[in-house]
Amino acid sequence: MKLQKILFSFDGRIGRRTYWLAILALIVAVLVLTFAPFLLESEKAAVLMLALTSQFIWLLSLWPILAVGSKRLHDRNKNGWWLLVFWLLPFALFVGGFSIALFDDPRTGRSGDFSTGLIPVLASLPPALWGIVELGILPGTKGPNLYGADPAQQLELR
């Protein structure tokens, strides 16, 4: 499968090896692009560039990350919408719990409550771990499924 299809198409299936290589490459690319402004001579310019570009870079990487995850779920014979459970739910719980723990409530004037914020942070772990197992550890379905041919069999034919 071509790199363009791996990163930008939501069709087809990919195996565990391709999934991990693509995710690792995306993470490295995002980190390099995010912190590249620090190579500038001026520290103030670097901080300004980092502030302006980091969210944009992460936003641009969202499509390939979702495409790769979706194809991996297809290999498991699951719909790509499961990414909401594996990635969005843990992220929302973690950020919500973190904000409860650290920030003051403007409505009540109460300061951050670490113990209350810890509950959603801990609740984010099971779906995140389940996603890691489902996407990166368990093998795909053998043979063709609803989403296409078995990527392992396609490698054997070459």
Side-chain angles (χ1 to χ4, degrees):
M1 185 179 291
K2 292 184 178 182
L3 184 62
Q4 182 178 358
K5 182 168 176 152
I6 291 171
L7 294 178
F8 298 108
S9 169
F10 285 80
D11 296 329
R13 299 167 59 176
I14 59 173
R16 290 174 287 187
R17 180 174 183 247
T18 304
Y19 170 77
W20 282 115
L21 289 173
I23 290 295
L24 181 63
L26 286 167
I27 290 170
V28 168
V30 166
L31 289 175
V32 166
L33 291 172
T34 299
F35 293 106
F38 285 109
L39 298 175
L40 299 173
E41 292 294 323
S42 167
E43 188 176 315
K44 288 181 183 178
V47 171
L48 178 63
M49 285 298 294
L50 179 66
L52 294 175
T53 60
S54 62
Q55 288 83 9
F56 182 69
I57 292 167
W58 283 98
L59 189 61
L60 282 177
S61 70
L62 188 60
W63 186 276
I65 288 171
L66 291 174
V68 168
S70 181
K71 281 192 284 298
R72 181 65 193 126
L73 283 169
H74 290 170
D75 192 41
R76 299 270 309 126
N77 209 23
K78 295 186 182 322
N79 193 300
W81 287 103
W82 275 98
L83 291 175
L84 292 174
V85 174
F86 298 143
W87 288 346
L88 186 63
L89 177 63
F91 179 76
L93 287 169
F94 184 83
V95 170
F98 202 68
S99 63
I100 290 169
L102 292 183
F103 301 111
D104 298 342
D105 186 349
R107 295 170 294 178
T108 63
R110 285 182 18 169
S111 61
D113 186 0
F114 181 78
S115 59
T116 304
L118 190 61
I119 294 168
V121 168
L122 292 175
S124 73
L125 293 176
L129 293 173
W130 178 27
I132 290 169
V133 169
E134 193 74 41
L135 290 163
I137 297 173
L138 294 176
T141 56
K142 300 244 186 258
N145 67 16
L146 292 173
Y147 301 99
D150 187 347
Q153 288 179 343
Q154 288 177 340
L155 289 175
E156 292 172 6
L157 296 176
R158 291 183 183 171

